[in-house]
Every structure is written in C-alpha cells, then in structure tokens.
C-alpha cells in the first residue's frame, strides 16, 4: 500500500505557469480554507492531506456580481476571414465564449491569462458519433488578444442559440472517492461490504477512515466557502461518466464503458484530465463536456481537447 501521507495514489497535482504545484493557492484560497479549518479545531496535518485533493472550479451562470465574463450561446466573434466552425455543411452551434482575462484566477489551472476561448458543438451529432469515439462535431477555438475580429455570420440561422451573458463565481470540487455529493456513488460506497471490495477500494476506505477523520467537516467547510451551483463549470475534476465513458475510451480509440481497466488506472487517468467546460445535466436534453489533458492545456494544444456529449433520458 502507498504511503498514507499521500493516500492510496498520488494526489492530483499539475504544473502551472507560476511554477507552483499547489492546487488552489492563487489569491490565497488555500490560506482562506486553512484558517477556517483551523478555527474549527481540525488538525493541521489533516488539513494538508485534504487540501492536496481539493480543487477550485469556475462556475458560469446567467446571473452574478460584476461584469460578465463571456456569453452562453449567441454569435461568436471570430478572427476576420475565419469561417464559422462546421463539419461539411453542418454548422456547429456556439456553446460558450469566455474572456480568459476576466475569469477568476485559480493557481495551478493553466488557462490563458488573456484572449477568448470559444466552444462549438453540435450536441445531437456529437452524441451519436460519441459511440464511435470520433468527437468530430465539436471544436475549441482560441483567439488571442489583439486579433482583429468580427461578429461571425452564421451559415445556418438554425445553429444560433439564445445568447445569455455569463457571470463567474467559484466552487469547491473533490475527486469522486472523497465527494459524497454524488448519490449513486455514496450509496455504492455505503452499501459495499468490506469483503466485496477490491484491494484498491479497501485502500481508499482505510485512507478516508484513518487519515481524514474530519472528512465531513472539511467537505462542508470547502462547500460553504465556494458553493457555485452554476450550470457550466470550468475546471475541477472529471466525473465518473466522462472518465469511464468518454475521455479515456476516446483516447484509447474505443467507445462505451471500459470496465476492463483496473480501478487505480482509471483514477490515475482521471487525474491526467481536466474539464475545460462541464455542462450540467438537464432533464431530457443533451449536455456536453470538453476535456483536455493538463500538459495539452499548458501547451495550448486546443486541438487535443475532447468532447463528450450525453443525454439525460426521461
């Protein structure tokens, strides 16, 4: 078993342009959380262990304080001369346009410091093609500051959705094995008998019990400090659906659930990826998530981003 200092697998850390590896030390978020936890009487070493897995994500919604940071739907501003992203004669609707320079800064998350990121996806087509792991009906476009742009004319008026100004706030995010906000996972974890657990699941259970006895309090503190309930989220963790059904399956060139991978390998794979955009589920509608590896994000390799579109069936 791995050292209990770091849990049953290495904590998810990534490089940032500042050269730091801390998950959320920018703007003293880490200090804010530590002070609150210490005031609650939680030991410092336990706070350190928990903080290794805590990430901050950026929530985007149609209401908030301050100026908007972008817009959901509507018409994009594209470089002059650039055609609207399409696949053949199928135009890809704009999901989101976001001004990177206006977003809250979360240290360790290598979004560009400025410029605009635009996410295009034809959800119905992407959902169908997902089963073949193609992902061809989605695009990520980055437009650097100083680029001459113009509001793009849609090749098909039907590809334009209603524009909603987007406002940003923060939310705390944890890996699935520490986050009991997912009811299915929580029920699975609570109902699983010890003898029915794999050796790796037993390691997770031991770590939670021995090294994080105040897990409930730490979780509540983090969620109280950063509690965005936004429909669109940038950053945080890949959820089990994306990790198991989408990103890794696509990267391996396959489709569907890939339960043949060992659990530990699946968790390590999840830590390699981060959501560029994670769209929440809406009953009886399609929803899309854009994922990218940390190294590709740091190198601005936007063509390496992968889309996963699902459908919340009635």
């Amino acid at each position: 078993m791995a050292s209990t200092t770091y849990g049953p697998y290495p904590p998810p850390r990534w490089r940032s342009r500042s050269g730091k590896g801390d998950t959320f030390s920018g703007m003293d978020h880490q200090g804010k959380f530590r002070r609150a936890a210490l005031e609650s009487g939680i030991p410092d070493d336990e706070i350190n262990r928990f903080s290794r897995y805590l990430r901050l994500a950026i929530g985007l919604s149609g209401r908030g304080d301050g100026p908007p940071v972008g817009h959901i739907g509507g018409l994009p501003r594209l470089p002059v001369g650039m055609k609207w992203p399409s696949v053949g004669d199928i135009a890809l609707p704009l999901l989101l346009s976001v001004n990177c320079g206006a977003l809250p800064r979360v240290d360790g998350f290598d979004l560009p410091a400025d410029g605009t990121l635009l996410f295009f996806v034809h959800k119905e087509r992407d959902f169908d093609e997902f089963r073949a792991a193609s992902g061809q009906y989605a695009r990520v476009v980055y437009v650097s500051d100083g680029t001459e742009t113009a509001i793009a004319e849609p090749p098909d008026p039907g590809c334009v959705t209603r524009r909603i100004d987007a406002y940003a706030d923060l939310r705390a995010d944890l890996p699935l094995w520490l986050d009991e906000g997912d009811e299915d996972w929580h029920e699975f974890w609570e109902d699983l008998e010890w003898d029915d657990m794999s050796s790796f699941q037993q390691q997770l259970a031991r770590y939670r019990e021995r090294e994080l006895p105040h897990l409930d309090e730490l979780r509540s503190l983090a969620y109280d400090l950063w509690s965005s309930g936004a429909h669109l989220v940038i950053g945080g963790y890949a959820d089990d659906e994306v990790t198991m059904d989408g990103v890794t399956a696509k990267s391996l060139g396959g489709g569907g659930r890939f339960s043949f991978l060992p659990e530990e390998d699946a968790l390590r794979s999840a830590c390699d990826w981060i959501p560029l955009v994670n769209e929440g589920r809406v009953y009886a509608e399609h929803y899309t998530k854009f994922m990218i590896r940390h190294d590709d994000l740091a190198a601005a390799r936007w063509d390496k981003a992968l889309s996963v579109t699902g459908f919340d069936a009635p």
Side-chain angles (χ1 to χ4, degrees), residues 30-302:
Q30 188 174 21
K32 183 178 182 180
F33 177 75
R34 179 178 300 280
R35 288 189 293 273
L38 288 172
E39 289 173 2
S40 298
I42 300 174
D44 186 69
D45 58 346
E46 186 178 351
I47 298 171
N48 287 339
R49 287 191 290 270
F50 180 84
S51 295
R52 291 180 178 275
Y53 295 96
L54 179 60
R55 291 181 182 174
L56 290 188
I58 302 167
L60 301 176
S61 60
R63 62 178 62 184
D65 298 326
V69 299
H71 59 92
I72 301 163
L75 295 171
R77 291 194 70 92
L78 294 174
V80 172
M82 180 178 178
K83 294 183 178 180
W84 187 295
S86 302
V87 178
D89 59 354
I90 300 172
L92 306 180
L94 176 68
L95 172 65
L96 173 68
S97 174
V98 63
N99 176 2
C100 297
L103 293 174
R105 306 316 299 172
V106 178
D107 195 25
F109 184 18
D110 275 317
L111 281 176
D114 51 29
T116 303
L117 274 171
L118 303 103
F119 300 88
F120 296 84
V121 61
H122 192 297
K123 294 182 184 180
E124 292 81 2
R125 296 271 184 170
D126 196 57
F127 177 67
D128 290 339
E129 291 298 323
F130 158 65
R131 300 171 191 180
S134 69
Q136 63 174 312
Y137 288 96
R139 298 285 187 275
V140 179
V141 176
Y142 174 70
V143 181
S144 59
D145 279 357
T147 302
E148 185 181 359
T149 62
I151 296 176
E153 289 292 331
D156 173 9
C159 76
V160 182
T161 59
R162 182 169 68 98
R163 173 181 168 135
I164 302 172
D165 285 343
Y167 299 83
D169 58 2
L170 294 175
R171 85 168 193 187
D173 209 18
L174 290 166
L176 193 61
W177 65 282
L178 288 178
D179 179 12
E180 293 183 355
D182 184 290
E183 293 182 3
D184 291 339
W185 177 263
H186 177 67
E187 291 177 3
F188 166 78
W189 190 268
E190 293 298 320
D191 294 343
L192 195 62
E193 297 292 336
W194 182 263
D195 290 342
D196 294 330
M197 293 183 183
S198 68
S199 60
F200 185 67
Q201 289 170 344
Q202 290 175 353
Q203 290 181 44
L204 294 178
R206 289 192 190 100
Y207 184 79
R208 284 163 47 117
E209 180 179 355
R210 296 176 183 177
E211 305 299 329
L212 295 171
H214 298 89
L215 177 58
D216 289 342
E217 295 96 317
L218 289 163
R219 248 190 328 241
S220 295
L221 276 173
Y223 295 153
D224 287 344
L225 287 171
W226 304 289
S227 56
S228 172
H231 176 66
L232 284 172
V233 177
I234 296 174
Y237 280 94
D239 58 29
D240 62 329
E241 176 187 55
V242 170
T243 305
M244 299 299 289
D245 282 341
V247 168
T248 305
K250 281 188 176 182
S251 68
L252 294 174
R257 185 167 294 277
F258 71 113
S259 55
F260 55 84
L261 276 183
E263 297 154 304
E264 186 170 5
D265 287 349
L267 283 176
R268 287 182 183 276
S269 175
C271 290
D272 289 339
W273 294 83
I274 192 164
L276 275 174
V277 174
N278 193 339
E279 187 179 22
R281 294 188 178 196
V282 177
Y283 182 69
E285 291 187 13
H286 291 90
Y287 57 93
T288 299
K289 306 167 194 291
F290 284 84
M291 307 293 299
I292 194 168
R293 291 186 186 275
H294 292 292
D295 288 346
D296 290 329
L297 175 59
R301 292 188 286 260
W302 307 114

